[in-house]
Amino acid sequence: MVKGLVGDNIGLNEEVIKKSCSLSFKAHKSTNQPYIYENFRTSSELTEYLVISFPGSWVETDWFVRKPFGETKIDLAQFPLLKSVGNDETALVNEAFLNRFDRLLKFSSIISEVNKAMAEGKQVVFAGHSSGAVLAILATFRALEENFKTHQIQHKSPMCVTFGSPLIGNHIFSHASNRENWAHYFIHFVMRYDIVPRIFLAPFSSIEKLFSSFLKLLTPNNNSEPSFTQDSIEDSVTCEFYSTVMRNVATVTSHVACNLMGSTNLLLETMTNFVELSPYRPFGTYIFCDGNGQLIVVKNSDAVLQLMFHIAQLRDLQQLSEVANKSILQHLAYEAELEESLGMQNVVYLNKLDNLPLSANDGPDTDIAAALDSLGLNLRARLCLRAAGELQKQKERNEEKIKKEINDKALASMSDLEEYKATCETNNGKGYYDAFKVQKEAKDFQANVKRLVLAGVWDEIIEMLKRYELPDEFEGKKEWINLGTRFRRLVEPLDIANYHRHLKNEDTGPYMNKARPKRYRYTQRWLEHANRLPKEEITESTFWAEVEELCSWMSNNKPFEDVKERVLKIEQDIKKWTDKGELTKDVFSKDPTFIKLWETLPHEHKSTSCISTLFTAKG
């Protein structure tokens, strides 16, 4: 079991959490301001904090803008890292929340104020309660993106703490934040029965008739206080709203649980062909407040989703009215709850999920067993949590498996191909590309065998990535980026040579348009992502495909002016790649394919070309 204060273990001091909570609720009383802020120091630290909190909204269109779930692709111009790298899948975000954030940026000076605070060495903390929390989340991502883009590693990374936040985006939020090592910057407190964090697991059509009434219950009155009390809540509204949302939560979590456990409920699968499931998923660190002073810390997003359903279950129907009322009352109870919970420091960390106790007497950690009992988690709930932990372990085992494949098969094959490449470039005759394309010698045949071995290993890796079967951090790891780049630069020219050797371009079309394998597209994106580079159409591993296309164009006696821009671009790129050592100049003096293109170019062009000095051949 993890020891120490909760603040020490989540990276945010308890005083900062309390201040963030207090300021978040204060923001609800300042709805005429886009945000409020406060500078302060804790009693135990020298760090100066700037806490910025945002008000919520009780306008329906600030929550939903379209049915069924109101999601849209996030703007990659603002949030370029909120995507999967290899799969090139853009994160989905609640459009109404994104619109609110855009208005915040347009009509406030928050970006300049945050940049100034970070430049002064302050620890910036974005905070929010309810729908104010979503602005805190997006502001934090925006600040993290700015740090990433400008390499401002000397600045303290911004943090985010939310209270009763609704879900904001799909699984890519969790995937990307884990990949960038950002997940620990997001801390979400959720009361056991608070309905708001669960709302977006239900389609808007199912709660549309009740949603306005629900928002009215949360709307501050003229005295800036909540407009309801325990006695004023309408049972008919709260019971129906709670029941409807939780039925949908049950459907989503059951479907995910089946996938986690590797089993398929045919009835559930059939149903999902007719019922669209919510795309929204949790991310970051969740801290569940059980209402009795205990805090349960969970970092696995699949486990968080399961807890969203299982800890809010009813013992019987007679309990519905009581729990439905709690689901709203608890939404505004965070200040009092955290004052008690952070004082008690009764904290349980659900880290080793795959070994979670299935009963009170199962396992040595009685604190965890007692916490699970207090949350009312039955055997199925615990099995779901174990499955979430086991899935993460399986992803780690998958990475170990492919590491073994790389060590057993790929590294030796790459070394053999590098030796083959060096031999082709130093001996008289054809260079690396054309020697492989002609396939006249035994060493060329052996090189082809190595190429196919490597293709098989890397295709297996790519298939796992497509199915998200590897750790989220995988594509951000330097060792895999370097290995993928080495593989791509070494082997892709051979794939292009093989493609043109068999004249597949005449049947299928250009290699880049129709035939480039995902194993090269993915590994190219990894490097571009790591080096903050824009996406390139022609790279140091694909320039041969462009050379072949230009050769074909010129051999058909097409006017040089028609391809002049493409020729200039490829020459500039080649100069850049050779200057960086990514290509060797011997390639261009030995490979007949490139010399063929060079010799067809107008003399006046060649005489001023930036790569003319790379050639030993005349032309």
Side-chain angles (χ1 to χ4, degrees):
M1 181 176 175
V2 179
K3 301 295 184 182
L5 298 177
V6 64
D8 295 335
N9 289 304
I10 65 174
L12 202 60
N13 184 288
E14 283 87 347
E15 288 184 57
V16 182
I17 294 172
K18 291 179 182 179
K19 174 64 71 175
S20 299
C21 189
S22 173
L23 212 60
S24 295
F25 279 84
K26 186 177 179 181
H28 283 304
K29 303 173 185 179
S30 308
T31 53
N32 58 328
Q33 299 180 50
Y35 57 91
I36 61 174
Y37 65 91
E38 187 172 328
N39 291 285
F40 84 106
R41 296 180 188 271
T42 68
S43 59
S44 58
E45 296 178 306
L46 296 177
T47 301
E48 185 175 1
Y49 289 86
L50 171 64
V51 179
I52 303 174
S53 63
F54 305 88
S57 172
W58 294 272
V59 178
E60 191 173 301
T61 52
D62 282 344
W63 291 70
F64 284 98
V65 295
R66 69 160 69 96
K67 298 175 185 178
F69 297 102
E71 77 277 15
T72 188
K73 286 186 177 181
I74 203 160
D75 179 8
L76 289 179
Q78 284 195 75
F79 303 96
L81 301 183
L82 279 178
K83 64 177 182 181
S84 64
V85 178
N87 289 334
D88 205 21
E89 183 182 355
T90 302
L92 297 179
V93 65
N94 179 292
E95 186 172 2
F97 295 160
L98 189 61
N99 290 343
R100 282 188 65 204
F101 184 69
D102 288 340
R103 293 197 299 271
L104 171 71
L105 297 184
K106 185 176 181 181
F107 297 110
S108 76
S109 58
I110 188 169
I111 292 179
S112 60
E113 290 185 31
V114 169
N115 289 342
K116 180 175 180 292
M118 294 178 70
E120 293 172 350
K122 294 179 182 178
Q123 174 67 69
V124 175
V125 178
F126 297 101
H129 167 253
S130 195
S131 63
V134 300
L135 297 180
I137 291 169
L138 291 172
T140 307
F141 271 116
R142 178 65 182 262
L144 287 166
E145 296 262 13
E146 286 295 317
N147 261 12
F148 181 94
K149 186 166 57 178
T150 56
H151 298 260
Q152 292 176 334
I153 56 174
Q154 72 274 19
H155 293 172
K156 293 182 174 68
S157 294
M159 296 194 70
C160 178
V161 57
T162 73
F163 310 92
S165 174
L167 300 178
I168 185 174
N170 72 338
H171 69 283
I172 298 297
F173 273 73
S174 177
H175 173 76
S177 57
N178 285 331
R179 182 192 66 231
E180 303 303 329
N181 195 28
W182 289 350
H184 60 288
Y185 296 136
F186 296 87
I187 300 165
H188 310 287
F189 286 90
V190 173
M191 291 285 284
R192 177 174 181 176
Y193 294 108
D194 185 355
I195 197 64
V196 173
R198 298 157 166 99
I199 286 175
F200 284 98
L201 294 174
F204 185 52
S205 57
S206 70
I207 58 174
E208 186 174 10
K209 293 178 180 178
L210 300 169
F211 199 62
S212 293
S213 299
F214 168 76
L215 289 181
K216 286 179 182 177
L217 293 174
L218 304 184
T219 305
N221 59 25
N222 293 332
N223 296 319
S224 299
E225 296 296 335
S227 61
F228 66 87
T229 64
Q230 175 75 54
D231 296 331
S232 66
I233 296 179
E234 297 179 38
D235 272 3
S236 60
V237 173
T238 58
C239 290
E240 186 176 353
F241 191 83
Y242 183 83
S243 298
T244 303
V245 169
M246 291 307 295
R247 277 199 303 273
N248 285 280
V249 176
T251 301
V252 173
T253 53
S254 295
H255 182 262
V256 171
C258 284
N259 291 331
L260 289 174
M261 295 177 179
S263 61
T264 302
N265 184 318
L266 294 179
L267 179 61
L268 193 62
E269 287 296 325
T270 302
M271 183 194 67
T272 56
N273 291 329
F274 301 96
V275 179
E276 187 176 358
L277 296 179
S278 169
Y280 295 102
R281 296 294 183 269
F283 75 97
T285 298
Y286 270 71
I287 303 180
F288 288 96
C289 311
D290 74 348
N292 296 311
Q294 187 169 65
L295 301 175
I296 298 93
V297 183
V298 191
K299 296 182 179 181
N300 182 302
S301 59
D302 289 320
V304 170
L305 182 67
Q306 295 301 316
L307 287 171
M308 288 276 197
F309 171 67
H310 288 287
I311 68 174
Q313 285 302 286
L314 306 177
R315 292 190 299 272
D316 50 57
L317 285 177
Q318 284 76 22
Q319 197 188 14
L320 175 58
S321 178
E322 175 192 351
V323 170
N325 286 351
K326 278 185 179 180
S327 74
I328 297 177
L329 290 168
Q330 284 191 352
H331 185 60
L332 291 187
Y334 285 90
E335 282 188 280
E337 177 66 22
L338 290 179
E339 188 67 35
E340 178 184 1
S341 299
L342 294 176
M344 293 174 61
Q345 286 292 328
N346 183 6
V347 187
V348 172
Y349 298 86
L350 300 188
N351 292 333
K352 298 180 180 180
L353 291 167
D354 57 313
N355 198 33
L356 212 63
L358 297 179
S359 66
N361 300 319
D362 182 20
D365 201 325
T366 56
D367 288 332
I368 290 181
L372 299 181
D373 284 341
S374 72
L375 290 172
L377 297 183
N378 59 22
L379 178 60
R380 173 169 174 75
R382 297 173 192 228
L383 288 173
C384 289
L385 295 179
R386 273 198 175 188
E390 177 59 31
L391 178 62
Q392 183 58 41
K393 289 287 187 181
Q394 184 58 53
K395 290 181 179 183
E396 293 168 3
R397 287 194 291 267
N398 287 345
E399 183 175 7
E400 290 302 313
K401 174 188 172 185
I402 61 174
K403 276 184 182 178
K404 188 174 187 304
E405 287 275 300
I406 291 289
N407 290 328
D408 291 349
K409 297 180 181 179
L411 292 180
S413 293
M414 283 201 288
S415 294
D416 290 344
L417 282 182
E418 284 167 341
E419 183 178 347
Y420 168 73
K421 182 175 186 289
T423 301
C424 290
E425 291 177 1
T426 56
N427 294 343
N428 292 328
K430 297 179 176 63
Y432 177 55
Y433 179 81
D434 275 280
F436 187 85
K437 184 178 177 183
V438 174
Q439 290 278 312
K440 279 192 173 181
E441 300 183 26
K443 65 178 182 179
D444 304 325
F445 174 79
Q446 290 300 321
N448 193 42
V449 172
K450 305 299 181 185
R451 176 183 73 92
L452 295 174
V453 168
L454 288 166
V457 172
W458 281 91
D459 282 346
E460 182 180 5
I461 294 173
I462 300 310
E463 285 303 309
M464 286 185 176
L465 283 171
K466 285 168 62 179
R467 297 190 296 264
Y468 293 95
E469 292 176 353
L470 291 170
D472 293 329
E473 300 84 356
F474 182 89
E475 293 178 298
K477 290 183 177 179
K478 188 174 181 180
E479 61 179 300
W480 287 109
I481 295 167
N482 291 342
L483 195 61
T485 301
R486 178 186 170 195
F487 159 72
R488 175 173 58 84
R489 289 174 175 170
L490 180 66
V491 182
E492 187 164 24
L494 304 186
D495 271 30
I496 297 169
N498 189 66
Y499 189 76
H500 285 273
R501 164 180 159 78
H502 293 287
L503 303 178
K504 291 183 180 179
N505 56 305
E506 296 182 3
D507 297 328
T508 309
Y511 171 87
M512 292 299 294
N513 294 350
K514 304 290 185 179
R516 192 184 189 204
K518 288 186 174 64
R519 56 182 176 268
Y520 304 126
R521 297 181 189 275
Y522 276 56
T523 49
Q524 176 187 333
R525 289 174 193 149
W526 298 355
L527 184 65
E528 290 170 345
H529 172 79
N531 293 337
R532 299 135 167 99
L533 297 173
K535 182 179 180 181
E536 292 285 351
E537 293 300 322
I538 304 299
T539 71
E540 73 280 11
S541 66
T542 61
F543 78 96
W544 283 114
E546 179 71 351
V547 168
E548 292 280 10
E549 290 302 308
L550 292 171
C551 281
S552 176
W553 185 275
M554 299 300 289
S555 66
N556 289 325
N557 296 318
K558 298 294 180 65
F560 172 69
E561 291 299 320
D562 289 357
V563 292
K564 183 177 180 179
E565 286 189 14
R566 289 173 65 181
V567 172
L568 287 171
K569 178 67 168 61
I570 195 67
E571 288 178 345
Q572 291 164 1
D573 286 341
I574 286 170
K575 179 69 164 60
K576 176 183 67 177
W577 297 326
T578 52
D579 287 348
K580 290 182 177 180
E582 295 168 357
L583 294 174
T584 59
K585 65 179 183 180
D586 288 348
V587 170
F588 314 114
S589 62
K590 292 182 178 296
D591 280 291
T593 298
F594 198 92
I595 293 174
K596 175 185 173 183
L597 171 63
W598 180 253
E599 291 178 345
T600 60
L601 300 177
H603 177 75
E604 58 273 19
H605 171 81
K606 290 188 289 184
S607 64
T608 59
S609 171
C610 62
I611 61 170
S612 59
T613 57
L614 297 178
F615 286 87
T616 57
K618 296 181 180 180

